[in-house]
Amino acid sequence: MTETLLLHSIQLILLIAMISISLYLIYYITKHRINPLKRFFTGLWIGFITDALDTVGIGSFATSTTLFKLTKLIDDDRKLPATMTVVHVLPVLLQSLCFILVVRVEPLTLIAMASAAFIGAFFGSRITKKWHAPTVQRILGGLLIIAALFMAFRMITNPGADITNSAHGLHGVWLFIGIIFNFITGILMTMGLGNYAPELIFFSLMGLSPTVAMPVMMLDAAMIMTASSSQFIKSGRVNWEGFLGLVVGGILGVIVAVLFLTNLNLNSLKLLVIFIVIFTGCMLIRSSFKETIGTNHHKH
């Protein structure tokens, strides 16, 4: 009874968060006379693809970065973390709501780990504001490559993933380790590193079914992005081109992916994303050195 009440409370909080963020975005866009309809259809298909992949546990940040670069939707890499957080926050809140409804997970694991991620993000977005462009690119690139290598290692060593364990949460020292892990993940996510790959790996290493990771990582992401999105909007580092398309496409992508999740071959999708992530990470690092060389050249 208590567990059901707790889960219903979380669902209510998620709904309130979705309404609050929507109202704040409408207020900000109206006040600053921003046109969110620019490049609507470019945003629509990018949002659909990235949030559909996000819903199946692949993560949206690496694919978003790649597609933003390909379509030149964002002209300044410094705007990447803020833009990705703000465009994906509503679809991620919807994902979280869906997974808490369909997957069984212990409320203690869910609440403790999501809270740790929230606190990490609260400090993280303040820390990451101070990074200049090449540093942001190198951190983002390096972290993306590390996440991809972890993902590849996990697929090679345990391709089927151990889904026989019937546990629905972490206990004792493992829960404590999970809380510390998620606090660090919260900080890293404000730098543009998605939390899904690290969390799928973490839960698999703990011997739990990857399905248990889904509601936890979705709620983490929802908490993290809710914590940092208002600060990012105020920072003026959000790229508004294609904004409405990205949000609408993202929500449609989440709905479609939730409906068809059981029929998807996750391994082949994850393999594709490993290549995309490594490519994006390398491109970001390459861009950072180009920018540093350009800056030094201007100084001379």
Side-chain angles (χ1 to χ4, degrees):
M1 184 63 196
T2 314
E3 281 203 5
T4 313
L5 192 68
L6 275 169
L7 290 172
H8 283 323
S9 302
I10 295 167
Q11 287 160 11
L12 183 65
I13 290 164
L14 289 168
L15 274 172
I16 293 164
M18 286 177 82
I19 294 162
S20 303
I21 288 166
S22 300
L23 291 172
Y24 183 64
L25 279 166
I26 292 163
Y27 162 76
Y28 188 89
I29 287 166
T30 311
K31 189 186 172 188
H32 293 84
R33 293 180 182 173
I34 294 159
N35 178 10
L37 287 164
K38 271 186 192 171
R39 297 188 72 184
F40 179 84
F41 290 102
T42 305
L44 191 74
W45 69 263
I46 293 174
F48 184 87
I49 292 167
T50 54
D51 282 301
L53 291 175
D54 200 42
T55 308
V56 300
I58 289 164
S60 63
F61 277 31
T63 45
S64 296
T65 305
T66 306
L67 294 174
F68 285 160
K69 283 185 171 295
L70 285 173
T71 56
K72 296 185 167 59
L73 202 63
I74 292 183
D75 53 359
D76 185 348
D77 285 335
R78 284 172 293 187
K79 289 183 177 179
L80 276 170
T83 306
M84 287 191 288
T85 301
V86 176
V87 299
H88 290 302
V89 67
L90 288 170
V92 166
L93 282 162
L94 182 64
Q95 280 172 34
S96 186
L97 197 61
C98 292
F99 279 105
I100 291 167
L101 287 166
V102 297
V103 178
R104 195 186 153 200
V105 62
E106 289 175 19
L108 181 62
T109 301
L110 188 66
I111 294 164
M113 289 186 73
S115 302
F118 185 91
I119 295 161
F122 183 76
F123 291 110
S125 59
R126 294 178 183 196
I127 296 162
T128 57
K129 266 187 189 178
K130 297 184 173 80
W131 296 112
H132 73 303
T135 314
V136 170
Q137 289 167 328
R138 278 168 217 168
I139 289 168
L140 201 57
L143 292 175
L144 287 171
I145 291 165
I146 291 163
L149 293 173
F150 265 118
M151 213 164 155
F153 174 76
R154 189 69 205 149
M155 283 181 76
I156 294 160
T157 55
N158 192 2
D162 43 350
I163 51 174
T164 50
N165 194 323
S166 59
H168 297 281
L170 297 169
H171 305 103
V173 70
W174 299 115
L175 180 60
F176 182 69
I177 290 166
I179 290 165
I180 293 167
F181 176 84
N182 261 29
F183 176 75
I184 295 163
T185 304
I187 294 170
L188 296 182
M189 198 176 161
T190 59
M191 296 180 191
L193 175 72
N195 65 326
Y196 294 178
E199 293 215 13
L200 278 171
I201 291 155
F202 177 79
F203 274 90
S204 298
L205 290 173
M206 293 292 109
L208 293 179
S209 159
T211 54
V212 178
M214 291 280 186
V216 176
M217 70 193 191
M218 298 299 179
L219 187 60
D220 292 347
M223 297 280 277
I224 291 163
M225 291 164 93
T226 304
S228 53
S229 60
S230 61
Q231 291 180 50
F232 275 138
I233 292 165
K234 287 173 193 167
S235 73
R237 290 190 297 154
V238 176
N239 194 84
W240 296 102
E241 265 195 35
F243 180 78
L244 195 64
L246 285 158
V247 175
V248 173
I251 288 167
L252 292 172
V254 170
I255 294 163
V256 170
V258 168
L259 290 172
F260 295 102
L261 187 64
T262 46
N263 303 317
L264 289 170
N265 180 347
L266 292 185
N267 280 340
S268 58
L269 278 171
K270 284 180 183 175
L271 201 61
L272 172 68
V273 171
I274 286 166
F275 289 112
I276 292 170
V277 171
I278 291 171
F279 172 76
T280 307
C282 293
M283 290 300 285
L284 278 169
I285 292 166
R286 187 169 160 258
S287 301
S288 78
F289 285 107
K290 267 186 171 179
E291 192 160 326
T292 308
I293 292 162
T295 309
N296 292 338
H297 181 73
H298 286 306
K299 280 180 184 173
H300 293 301

